[in-house]
Amino acid sequence: MKTMADEVVLRIFEAKSRDVGRSIVRIPIRIMKKLGVEPGDYVEIVGRKSAYAQVWPAYPEDEDKDIIRMDGMIRQNAGVGIGDTVRVRKISLRPAQRVVLAPTEPVRVDSEYLKKQILLGKPVTRGQAIDVPFYGGSIRFVVVQVQPGPAAYVSVDTEVTVREEPVKEAELAIPRVTWEDIGDLEEAKQKIRELVELPLRHPELFKHLGIEPPKGILLYGPPGTGKTLLAKAVANEANAYFIAINGPEIMSKYYGESEAKLREIFDEAKKNAPAIIFIDEIDAIAPKREEVTGEVEKRVVAQLLTLMDGLQERGQIVVIGATNRPDAVDPALRRPGRFDREIQIPMPDKRARREILQVHTRNMPLCTSEDVKAGVCAPGDEVDLDKIAEMTHGYTGADIAALAKEAAMSALRKAVSKGLIDLDQESIPPDVLNKLKVGMGDFMEAMKF
Ligand code: ADP
């Protein structure tokens, strides 16, 4: 791609976790100079689509690289993934007169709050998705209207309307998990990107090299360690259609129709390719044949093998199987051309638990030492994630997610019982929300469950 004076081509790296959800990109200072932009200026990021963001200087260790760091939301809005290149140029945006947002699930959110806390200063464009923190989780909104178009930034004078009725989004079949939502598992992320994302996004590379991309990969490890999450993230980043099925369910719920159901799923994937078919607990569909007595099970295994062998989509459909017991999977399924790659997903160690905690508390207002000084949190209630990571030996990622949620619920219950929050109110005033924090005591409380 040609680089013009007012435009640079940069390779995409993921955002550091503190930058997630801020609508910013980070690029080296020497490149900011080349583009003539100052920190806080707006840039247009051109991938398959255009996204807009505020630009900030790169971290010092990135200064000599030609890279741009951005979070999953911006990557999705620009239709690009990590490792891709994008064109970046300066853009002078006008303040928006009017912006309309619609949620992706029915919810009522105060538009003034959304404008002041989330949108102010941010660039918006029609079709763009915005994740808004909400009780420790988040709700996705889509920008359905911007005046003047196609892009503008939200100023204090912008009239922001938040629709109650959800958008009807065809893209909802694409999950919204991004790489930053997965704590640790660096090696697994790297492998799955190489084995799945690369062929889905660039089949021409594999064709050029004369190699077949994998049709199936097997993720194995204990339940709740992030296997489904990885499959969803790779589907999202590759903009691939995602179908999840569950081994035991196929066998029982569709009993007698299991093979037909499998055929239907592969058909659906073909129609919507690029696509990922995720089969959780695959050992229930395809147990070792010597362990199987029933004719039905044998036929279902044979059907799955036939469907996998029939995949000639040049890597446009990938089947990801997950199991806790790789040895229980029919060896015929693990032959070349089938599930011939395996990725182990281990139990998290202390460092991994710290990273997973970080992910699940990212949108949570945690008590800090400043909050203690200011009297918002009780003495000793500042949250120490290292200590929690140490105390949660034996917890899976799912256990840690549940712990974080339970800690937030404990904080909420305390606030209600102290009369801080009146549940009959139409919406909770911002000054009350600002005082609602999750403390170390809440985590200790949650650990008792
Ligand atoms: P599996 O498919 O291995 O049984 P999942 O991927 O469904 O596990 O994980 C269940 C939930 O646990 C996820 O939705 C997420 O909230 C949490 N979780 C598990 N592993 C991780 C991780 N590595 N990072 C962040 N959250 C995780």
Side-chain angles (χ1 to χ4, degrees):
M1 226 171 279
K2 213 173 92 199
T3 304
M4 290 182 287
D6 58 347
E7 181 177 290
V8 291
V9 176
L10 296 171
R11 191 162 300 280
I12 300 167
F13 275 60
E14 65 194 299
K16 304 253 169 145
S17 74
R18 77 182 78 126
D19 291 338
V20 172
R22 296 175 56 201
S23 290
I24 64 165
V25 293
R26 292 199 182 259
I27 65 178
I29 293 168
R30 72 192 149 81
I31 292 171
M32 288 178 61
K33 285 194 183 131
K34 203 162 150 187
L35 284 174
V37 290
E38 302 280 330
D41 278 355
Y42 299 107
V43 286
E44 182 178 7
I45 300 140
V46 188
R48 264 180 293 168
K49 296 179 280 179
S50 274
Y52 303 85
Q54 276 179 305
V55 65
W56 290 100
Y59 291 98
E61 66 270 24
D62 293 339
E63 183 54 38
D64 56 353
K65 302 180 200 132
D66 284 349
I67 69 166
I68 179 166
R69 285 192 186 270
M70 62 178 81
D71 66 15
M73 191 85 272
I74 303 177
R75 293 198 297 277
Q76 189 178 331
N77 287 326
V80 292
I82 292 171
D84 283 348
T85 54
V86 278
R87 288 179 291 142
V88 180
R89 54 180 171 242
K90 180 178 179 171
I91 185 156
S92 47
L93 294 179
R94 283 170 296 175
Q97 282 150 17
R98 189 175 143 74
V99 173
V100 182
L101 287 102
T104 51
E105 53 199 278
V107 65
R108 196 183 314 156
V109 173
D110 181 46
S111 55
E112 221 29 45
Y113 171 77
L114 206 72
K115 175 175 158 184
K116 296 229 168 74
Q117 299 291 322
I118 312 287
L119 296 173
L120 207 57
K122 283 190 182 164
V124 284
T125 182
R126 193 162 171 261
Q128 171 190 350
I130 296 175
D131 283 342
V132 175
F134 199 74
Y135 290 113
S138 69
I139 299 179
R140 171 161 297 189
F141 286 83
V142 177
V143 178
V144 289
Q145 202 187 336
V146 176
Q147 277 170 359
Y153 72 89
V154 176
S155 81
V156 279
D157 298 323
T158 303
E159 179 196 336
V160 174
T161 309
V162 181
R163 224 170 69 185
E164 239 174 85
E165 169 204 349
V167 297
K168 290 158 205 74
E169 239 193 332
E171 305 90 63
L172 282 185
I174 297 177
R176 33 179 287 201
V177 175
T178 72
W179 297 118
E180 289 95 350
D181 294 331
I182 307 177
D184 190 55
L185 299 179
E186 289 311 320
E187 210 182 305
K189 282 189 206 172
Q190 185 61 33
K191 273 196 196 153
I192 202 168
R193 291 190 48 214
E194 186 182 305
L195 292 173
V196 182
E197 189 179 337
L198 200 60
L200 285 179
R201 297 174 63 92
H202 299 292
E204 70 279 10
L205 282 178
F206 288 75
K207 206 171 154 199
H208 177 76
L209 292 171
I211 50 170
E212 284 278 328
K215 288 178 186 174
I217 62 172
L218 203 58
L219 305 178
Y220 67 94
T225 47
K227 297 183 291 298
T228 311
L229 220 48
L230 278 168
K232 285 185 173 169
V234 78
N236 183 17
E237 297 279 343
N239 257 314
Y241 191 82
F242 184 80
I243 311 172
I245 53 171
N246 172 294
E249 191 180 280
I250 285 275
M251 298 310 283
S252 54
K253 186 165 155 201
Y254 301 101
Y255 192 78
E257 298 161 43
S258 308
E259 298 148 86
K261 183 68 193 167
L262 276 178
R263 284 195 300 273
E264 212 176 277
I265 285 161
F266 275 71
D267 271 346
E268 185 184 337
K270 272 182 206 157
K271 272 191 217 125
N272 294 285
I276 287 173
I277 300 173
F278 179 70
I279 310 180
D280 201 7
E281 296 182 63
I282 193 167
D283 45 284
I285 292 193
K288 273 189 178 156
R289 275 187 274 196
E290 59 258 38
E291 285 180 8
V292 179
T293 41
E295 276 307 306
V296 184
E297 283 83 354
K298 279 187 194 155
R299 286 209 316 264
V300 175
V301 177
Q303 177 67 81
L304 181 60
L305 292 177
T306 310
L307 287 167
M308 297 261 320
D309 290 345
L311 284 181
Q312 297 296 345
E313 310 292 320
R314 275 178 260 99
Q316 291 296 280
I317 295 175
V318 181
V319 188
I320 300 179
T323 178
N324 188 18
R325 313 182 302 150
D327 296 334
V329 175
D330 191 334
L333 264 179
R334 296 166 81 183
R335 288 215 195 99
R338 294 167 181 173
F339 291 93
D340 52 5
R341 307 299 173 92
E342 291 175 9
I343 302 177
Q344 189 191 356
I345 313 297
M347 276 294 282
D349 59 12
K350 185 187 162 208
R351 192 191 43 78
R353 293 195 299 273
R354 170 78 169 73
E355 286 184 26
I356 299 170
L357 268 168
Q358 176 88 39
V359 168
H360 287 283
T361 54
R362 192 165 64 204
N363 291 328
M364 248 178 223
L366 300 179
C367 284
T368 62
S369 38
E370 279 87 66
D371 293 327
V372 173
K373 269 184 226 141
V376 179
C377 296
D381 212 18
E382 53 270 65
V383 173
D384 181 348
L385 291 184
D386 282 322
K387 189 155 174 223
I388 300 170
E390 203 168 290
M391 292 173 76
T392 46
H393 181 84
Y395 278 53
T396 62
D399 296 333
I400 292 170
L403 177 74
K405 252 191 216 124
E406 191 47 48
M409 287 310 295
S410 154
L412 191 58
R413 275 195 293 268
K414 269 196 256 164
V416 172
S417 71
K418 275 194 232 152
L420 279 175
I421 293 176
D422 175 4
L423 292 176
D424 293 330
Q425 258 173 325
E426 176 87 346
S427 66
I428 312 292
D431 59 315
V432 173
L433 283 180
N434 287 339
K435 280 192 211 128
L436 181 56
K437 303 255 173 179
V438 184
M440 195 65 176
D442 295 314
F443 280 91
M444 295 300 138
E445 194 63 35
M447 247 177 257
K448 292 187 197 149
F449 276 80

